[in-house]
Amino acid sequence: QQQVKQSPQSLIVQKGGIPIINCAYENTAFDYFPWYQQFPGKGPALLIAIRPDVSEKKEGRFTISFNKSAKQFSLHIMDSQPGDSATYFCAANDDKIIFGKGTRLHILP
Amino acid sequence: DTEVTQTPKHLVMGMTNKKSLKCEQHMGHRAMYWYKQKAKKPPELMFVYSYEKLSINESVPSRFSPECPNSSLLNLHLHALQPEDSALYLCASSRGFGTGGFQPQHFGDGTRLSIL
């Protein structure tokens, strides 16, 4: 049973474009929704996290939009750069981290 | 540089070998985790230690044996592994576990394990 659904599986965007990754969840008991970024050969690193009572959060070029009624949230990367090429995992926190399946993002130079 | 250090970075072992993975953090965190990650998949939780006591075992086979000698160290002892156990093994730590609120987990860069 997949508790956090993530799409797309992979994404290719031109430099400067705005990749968007979408996630959906079912369990309303989740209290935080973090995003992790993972480069090849590295462990996941926390990128940004949002609480369900907040509709939007920005950190630098990264923005999370959160729709509590629809139980959906998304990550937008503004002015994307080739260095943003990585795998992105959305997640939900319930003491344990429940990861989505991941999105492999490639930014073309 | 990651604040969670894992050794070794790579490990190749036969199915009859015994080896150990090590993880160390000096952030004063009291919760530590082991995850298994297969290629193109998200990390899967294996074990959680809170205040040096095992809190969660996600039905992991007994050929994986965790140990938390102190609040800074976490080991994973391996014995009689199978080829399907080949994966990236990640360690993580957080300020606490089960204490409410969001406790960000800090991941190490993992040990790439190959079982021959």
Side-chain angles (χ1 to χ4, degrees), chain A residues 31-32 34 36 38 41-46 49 89 93-97 99-102 104, chain B residues 33 35 37 40-43 45 56 58 88 90 97-102 104-105 107-109:
Chain A
D31 59 359
Y32 265 90
Y36 285 85
Q38 186 175 23
K42 298 292 187 181
L46 178 65
F89 295 99
N93 184 72
D94 184 16
D95 287 334
K96 297 186 288 186
I97 300 174
F99 286 97
K101 289 190 173 183
R104 301 182 76 187
Chain B
Y33 311 77
Y35 288 85
Q37 187 177 27
K40 300 185 182 180
K41 299 290 186 183
L45 183 65
I56 291 179
E58 293 284 17
L88 180 68
L90 294 162
F97 177 78
T99 55
F102 180 50
Q105 292 185 22
F107 285 83
D109 288 335

Side-chain angles (χ1 to χ4, degrees), chain B residues 48-110:
Chain B
V48 180
Y49 272 83
S50 178
Y51 287 86
E52 300 156 49
K53 294 192 187 317
L54 185 64
S55 290
I56 291 179
N57 175 342
E58 293 284 17
S59 302
V60 178
S62 60
R63 58 186 184 267
F64 295 90
S65 176
E67 178 195 20
C68 190
N70 60 57
S71 59
S72 299
L73 294 175
L74 186 66
N75 298 320
L76 186 62
H77 303 297
L78 314 173
H79 174 56
L81 295 194
Q82 303 299 308
E84 61 265 28
D85 296 323
S86 297
L88 180 68
Y89 287 84
L90 294 162
C91 173
S93 69
S94 65
R95 283 198 309 269
F97 177 78
T99 55
F102 180 50
Q103 305 285 345
Q105 292 185 22
H106 298 250
F107 285 83
D109 288 335

